[in-house]
Amino acid sequence: MQVADNMAVSIHYTLTNDEGEVLDSSIGDDALVYLHGTGNIIPGLEDALQGKAVGDKFNVRIAAKDAYGEQNDEMIQVIPRAMFEGIDEIDVGMQFHADVSSGSGEVTIVKIEGDDITIDGNHPLAGMALTFDVEVVDVRPATKEEAEHGHIHGAGCHH
């Protein structure tokens, strides 16, 4: 059975940046399970998996535009410390859920200068090319309910 739209696909992967630093991996843990063709994973990886079968192993480098997108300077802004009312300690690197121009999202504090806090709404991996070492471990047709809901049900499902 090959990876195609509306298939439940399980993969093991190791994600690295261009310096070879491991950013994430499923090795030693449960495989990542996703519904193919619904945008549940980054577009470049989904494209690379199309047509693969159980047992296939491959390495693919995904350009930033096909991963988490290019860095968007409009997603970086300076806001007053008062916006963090009720939060006693604010440090660079902290992440918060916030309403951003594209809806609800996550922002990261990247700089603190007095009462000016610089936040970045870009994904932490935006602007980076990513390399995946992948092994396809299972492919099955999605259930009717999974296809209707646009995600896989089972372990780790939060719906």
Side-chain angles (χ1 to χ4, degrees):
M1 197 169 295
Q2 291 184 315
V3 174
D5 288 355
N6 290 315
M7 300 296 278
V9 180
S10 300
I11 61 170
H12 274 296
Y13 68 92
T14 298
L15 168 62
T16 57
N17 60 19
D18 281 347
E19 288 74 42
E21 176 186 5
V22 174
L23 304 175
D24 194 18
S25 180
S26 67
I27 306 302
D29 205 349
D30 293 334
L32 170 69
V33 183
Y34 76 97
L35 180 61
H36 194 81
T38 56
N40 291 164
I41 62 173
I42 61 172
L45 182 57
E46 190 166 62
D47 289 347
L49 281 155
Q50 182 74 28
K52 300 288 194 246
V54 172
D56 284 351
K57 295 179 182 182
F58 63 96
N59 177 282
V60 62
R61 184 174 185 273
I62 311 290
K65 68 179 181 60
D66 295 321
Y68 291 98
E70 298 293 348
Q71 184 80 12
N72 180 352
D73 291 340
E74 292 179 14
M75 300 282 290
I76 300 170
Q77 63 182 19
V78 179
I79 61 174
R81 184 178 291 271
M83 297 288 291
F84 293 91
E85 183 178 332
I87 301 172
D88 294 332
E89 192 170 324
I90 301 171
D91 294 310
V92 170
M94 292 177 79
Q95 295 181 319
F96 295 90
H97 289 286
D99 289 326
V100 294
S101 59
S102 59
S104 183
E106 195 168 271
V107 298
T108 304
I109 295 177
V110 295
K111 186 163 64 170
I112 301 171
E113 291 181 330
D115 286 336
D116 291 335
I117 310 291
T118 304
I119 59 171
D120 186 347
N122 287 289
H123 187 281
L125 300 178
M128 295 175 63
L130 303 172
T131 299
F132 287 86
D133 282 314
V134 180
E135 178 182 4
V136 180
V137 295
D138 190 43
V139 179
R140 67 166 173 80
T143 66
K144 180 181 177 196
E145 186 177 59
E146 289 170 335
E148 287 173 356
H149 291 181
H151 62 263
I152 299 303
H153 294 172
C157 179
H158 301 288
H159 298 277

